[in-house]
């Protein structure tokens, strides 16, 4: 089983330590592309219109300025840099050593800057979205798609892929439909369902934690994943097709 996660918008910068070591990152075949994106990001972040070009507000000025010196910024494991709602719910820091090792093996983060990371890969905090277009590279989801397909193909052979990514990051890499289950979260009220963004992030993080900390073998099929999800939630499985992934729908009620 592999769990696919998006990065968080909010990130916690490391206070000290060495910078990013490309040679130590997982998926080294992505390093040339990583360097290209890093250089393009540094260039745009130094531009007088950087905030507008990156689609962020004035409150993020310092984070965008950090983008210009990422080669020299302190790096920390991805599980501590990413600090949004999903990662808070996943709660890596409160896991046992055995559970952390399982998370390090099972989690793959799809990143606009790094392409793909494992939980123990050390990177600096940065500001960049997969929906951004960078000069010379184009929209990053399109830039990464063929590169991720090649780099991740050996990793996913025979694995069940539990896809907890948001839609923007899901477009950057589309794994084989037959072995992928997209995790969707709905709130049901008076018999009507609606999508809930904040609670979707929290629930996906909670679901990922459950899969990494529960006893027994990891799910190896969509049906086994449904059984595991049903230990926590009201859930249903929508079978996929040759081109569309299975869907695990988690239903939240008031």
């Amino acid at each position: 089983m592999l769990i696919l996660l998006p990065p968080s918008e909010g990130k916690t910068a490391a206070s000290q330590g060495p910078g990013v070591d490309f040679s130590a990152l997982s998926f080294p075949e992505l390093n040339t592309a990583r360097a290209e994106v890093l250089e393009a990001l540094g260039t745009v972040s130094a531009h007088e219109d950087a905030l507008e070009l990156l689609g962020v507000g004035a409150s993020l000025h310092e984070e965008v300025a950090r983008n210009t010196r990422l080669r020299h910024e302190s790096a920390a494991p991805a599980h501590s840099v990413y600090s949004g709602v999903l990662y808070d719910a996943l709660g890596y820091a409160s896991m046992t050593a055995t559970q952390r090792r399982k998370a390090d093996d099972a989690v793959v983060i799809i990143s606009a800057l790094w392409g793909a990371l494992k939980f123990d890969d050390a990177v600096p905090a940065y500001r960049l979205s997969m929906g951004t277009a960078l000069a010379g590279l184009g929209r990053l989801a399109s830039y990464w798609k063929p590169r991720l397909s090649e780099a991740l193909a050996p990793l996913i052979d025979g694995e069940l892929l539990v896809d907890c990514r948001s839609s923007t990051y899901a477009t950057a890499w589309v794994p084989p439909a037959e072995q992928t289950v997209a995790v969707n979260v709905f709130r049901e009220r008076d018999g009507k369902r609606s999508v809930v963004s904040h609670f979707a992030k929290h629930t996906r993080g909670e679901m990922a934690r459950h899969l990494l900390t529960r006893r027994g073998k990891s799910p190896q099929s969509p049906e086994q994943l449904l059984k595991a999800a049903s230990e926590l939630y009201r859930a249903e499985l929508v079978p996929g097709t040759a081109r569309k992934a299975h869907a695990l729908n988690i239903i939240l009620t008031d």
Side-chain angles (χ1 to χ4, degrees), residues 14-194:
S15 59
Q16 59 183 356
V20 60
D21 178 1
F22 275 58
S23 68
L25 296 178
S26 303
F27 317 114
E29 53 270 77
L30 296 175
N31 280 345
T32 298
R34 288 164 171 157
E36 287 181 347
V37 177
L38 188 65
E39 181 177 358
L41 177 60
T43 299
V44 73
S45 297
H47 196 279
E48 61 181 8
D49 295 329
L51 298 179
E52 181 180 353
L53 293 171
L54 292 174
V56 301
S59 64
L60 299 176
H61 171 77
E62 289 300 324
E63 293 187 30
V64 171
R66 187 191 298 126
N67 285 345
T68 66
R69 53 181 190 270
L70 288 179
R71 286 276 189 180
H72 310 289
E73 288 288 301
S74 294
H79 60 72
S80 64
V81 171
Y82 296 119
S83 52
V85 173
L86 187 154
Y87 290 86
D88 286 345
L90 190 148
Y92 181 94
S94 63
M95 290 180 177
T96 66
T98 298
Q99 292 165 351
R100 290 180 188 180
R101 285 194 293 271
K102 185 174 182 179
D104 292 344
D105 288 339
V107 171
V108 178
I109 303 165
I110 302 302
S111 163
L113 176 54
W114 309 107
L117 296 170
K118 301 299 288 290
F119 246 179
D120 55 353
D121 285 329
V123 294
Y126 61 94
R127 173 59 63 163
L128 182 64
S129 169
M130 190 65 84
T132 302
L134 294 179
L137 303 182
R139 195 158 299 278
L140 290 171
S142 299
Y143 175 85
W144 282 115
K145 193 171 184 178
R147 294 165 174 84
L148 290 174
S149 294
E150 181 176 356
L152 297 179
L155 179 73
I156 67 173
D157 186 32
E159 297 283 357
L160 175 70
L161 306 178
V162 183
D163 194 348
C164 295
R165 295 175 295 168
S166 55
S167 58
T168 302
Y169 287 86
T171 61
W173 176 51
V174 182
E178 66 273 10
Q179 63 190 93
T180 305
V181 183
V183 178
N184 302 318
V185 183
F186 299 94
R187 179 170 294 284
E188 187 171 278
R189 182 176 295 160
D190 298 328
K192 295 182 179 180
R193 293 182 182 179
S194 59

Side-chain angles (χ1 to χ4, degrees), residues 18 115-116 196 207:
V196 282
M207 178 66 190

